[in-house]
Amino acid sequence: MKEMKTIGVLTSGGDAPGMNAAIRAVVRAGVNSGMRVLGIHNGYTGLMKLDMKEMDMREVSDTLHRGGTILGSARCLEFKKPEVVKSTAEQAKENGIDGLVVIGGDGSFRGARDLSLAGLPTIGLPGTIDNDIDCTEYTIGYDTALNTVSDCIDKIRDTTLSHNRCTFVEVMGKDAGYIALSAGIAGGAEAILIPEQKFDIQKDLVQMIMDCRARGKYHYIIVIAEGIGNTQEIADKTEELLRTEHDIELETKVCILGHIQRGGRPTVKDRITASQMGVHAVDLLKQGIGNRVVVKRDGKITDLDILEGLNMKKTIDADMLRLADILSL
Ligand code: ADP
C-alpha cells in the first residue's frame, strides 16, 4: 500500500449547501493526518487544467456556515470521454496527487469511478439538494433545501389564504420527488405531485379541491416536483376544469422556487453530516482505499464500492407517502 502524502478535493455538478463543510472536513482531517491537501477549482475542469491550490487549516476558516462551494463547481462534458479521464488521472499522479475526494452527485460519481479505475484512488461524497442518489439515505444539502422550501411555502400560504387562491409551488428534485414530498408534508400542502407516483388531474386536483370546499376550505397549496412536467399547464387545466365542469372560479398562481433552493446557510444537519462524511473519506484514503462512495445507511456513515452504489435503486418512502395522504385534506 502506497502512503498518501497529497490528496485533492473538488466539488462537481450542481452545488449544494454544506459542500463547504465537507471541504473543510477533508482539509482539516487531511492536514491533521500529515497530508498535503490541494483544493481543485471548478470540478473536473480544474483537475484537467491542474487549477488548484494547497489548502491549510486557516484556508477553510469561516466557511462552515456559507452556502455554495468555495472551490467552485462545474459541469465538464469532456470528462465523460474515457481517454480524457485516463490522461487526467495520469497527469494528476505525475503532479503528486495520490488520492482524490469528489463531492457531487451521481454524474460526478461516474467520473470518480473512472478515475479510480484509471489508477487515481478516488472517494465520492454525496452532495446534492435533490437527495436523488440511490445508495445513500441522505445527501449533503438536502436538509437546507427542505428548510428553504418549507419557509417559502409558509410565506406563500399567507397570501394564498388572503386571496382564497390555489398556488402551485414547483420545487427542484430533477426526476425525483424527495424535496416535494418532505417539504410538502412540512408545509402542509393540500396535494403533493411527484414523478414516482402517477397522478390524475381530475381525482388528485379537481376532486380534491371540491372535497376541500365541501369542508369549508377555500385556499390550497399544491407542491409539485419539477420532474412532473409543465406546472403552468397543470394549473391552467385545473382552473379550466373547475370552471367548465363545476362552475367554480378559482384563481390559480404558479410559483417556481428555482435556484433559491440551492443557496443559503447550511442547516446543522447538513454541516454535521458533511463533516462526518469528509472525515470518513480521508480515513479511507489514509488506508490507501479508493473507488468508494461515502453514504448514510441505516442512520450510519459508511462506504460502498462506487459501482455497487451506482447500481442501487432506492424507492420513495411508503410511510411518507401515507403521511402526506392522511394529512393533506
Ligand atoms: P451531478 O454530479 O450533480 O450528478 P452531473 O451529472 O452534471 O452532476 O455530473 C457532473 C460532472 O461529472 C459532469 O460534468 C462530468 O464532468 C462528470 N460526469 C458525469 N457523467 C459522467 C460519466 N458517465 N463518466 C465520467 N464523468 C462523468
Side-chain angles (χ1 to χ4, degrees):
M1 185 185 84
K2 186 172 176 282
E3 191 199 344
M4 294 215 182
K5 294 202 176 88
T6 302
I7 60 170
V9 56
L10 61 83
T11 46
S12 167
D15 68 337
M19 280 184 162
N20 287 329
I23 295 166
R24 175 177 175 270
V26 170
V27 170
R28 294 209 165 157
V31 172
N32 267 324
S33 309
M35 293 192 272
R36 280 175 76 221
V37 184
L38 302 173
I40 296 160
H41 302 136
N42 305 320
Y44 291 128
T45 309
L47 186 63
M48 283 164 59
K49 295 182 184 161
L50 294 175
D51 177 7
M52 56 201 186
K53 176 175 186 241
E54 183 165 349
M55 300 183 88
D56 60 21
M57 295 280 197
R58 290 285 309 144
E59 203 88 35
V60 286
S61 292
D62 307 316
T63 60
L64 185 64
H65 63 293
R66 283 165 53 191
T69 157
I70 56 167
L71 291 176
S73 188
R75 295 206 157 88
C76 173
L77 296 182
E78 233 192 309
F79 206 71
K80 291 188 181 177
K81 295 182 189 153
E83 66 277 15
V84 173
V85 176
K86 191 166 172 285
S87 62
T88 306
E90 278 162 12
Q91 176 186 256
K93 283 191 293 174
E94 280 160 21
N95 280 274
I97 302 177
D98 303 313
L100 181 68
V101 180
V102 169
I103 307 161
D106 262 349
S108 304
F109 286 180
R110 287 179 213 286
R113 175 206 54 193
D114 294 350
L115 280 171
S116 288
L117 296 179
L120 179 67
T122 302
I123 306 291
L125 292 198
T128 162
I129 62 162
D130 301 328
N131 202 25
D132 62 343
I133 301 181
D134 291 319
C135 56
T136 182
E137 285 157 14
Y138 191 79
T139 60
I140 297 163
Y142 178 54
D143 189 59
T144 306
L146 288 183
N147 278 283
T148 300
V149 174
S150 157
D151 183 48
C152 290
I153 294 174
D154 290 349
K155 291 178 172 127
I156 290 165
R157 180 176 291 284
D158 290 342
T159 172
T160 301
L161 167 65
S162 302
H163 290 270
N164 277 337
R165 284 182 183 137
C166 175
T167 308
F168 288 73
V169 183
E170 184 187 299
V171 302
M172 283 185 166
K174 283 198 242 150
D175 299 327
Y178 298 103
I179 293 181
L181 183 58
S182 290
I185 291 172
E190 274 63 45
I192 302 168
L193 307 183
I194 57 172
E196 292 86 347
Q197 243 190 351
K198 279 210 178 89
F199 95 95
D200 176 69
I201 198 159
Q202 279 288 1
K203 175 174 147 295
D204 297 315
L205 295 177
V206 176
Q207 192 54 51
M208 180 277 292
I209 287 169
M210 298 301 293
D211 292 347
C212 281
R213 291 175 71 88
R215 291 188 180 94
K217 182 160 197 178
Y218 296 95
H219 62 280
Y220 322 96
I221 301 275
I222 316 295
V223 173
I224 178 161
E226 64 179 349
I228 284 281
N230 190 321
T231 302
Q232 187 66 56
E233 274 176 17
I234 295 169
D236 291 346
K237 188 77 190 159
T238 307
E239 196 172 309
E240 183 196 318
L241 288 171
L242 282 163
R243 187 186 317 112
T244 53
E245 294 182 2
H246 301 279
D247 206 19
I248 289 169
E249 288 296 332
L250 176 69
E251 190 183 11
T252 61
K253 291 277 176 197
V254 169
C255 186
I256 298 173
L257 296 187
H259 282 79
I260 195 170
Q261 297 161 90
R262 292 257 286 264
R265 279 156 40 110
T267 59
V268 168
K269 184 168 177 176
D270 276 326
R271 296 181 199 195
I272 291 178
T273 310
S275 302
Q276 290 172 316
M277 288 183 166
V279 170
H280 193 97
V282 173
D283 283 343
L284 290 169
L285 288 177
K286 251 184 345 198
Q287 299 167 64
I289 299 170
N291 200 24
R292 308 288 290 177
V293 273
V294 179
V295 294
K296 193 161 201 179
R297 294 183 73 79
D298 300 324
K300 293 213 159 42
I301 305 295
T302 179
D303 54 275
L304 295 168
D305 176 87
I306 299 185
L307 190 57
E308 186 190 343
L310 285 171
N311 286 335
M312 287 180 169
K313 196 84 213 124
K314 91 173 160 191
T315 50
I316 208 104
D317 186 341
D319 289 341
M320 290 288 274
L321 284 174
R322 186 170 168 266
L323 196 62
D325 211 35
I326 293 171
L327 300 179
S328 57
L329 292 183

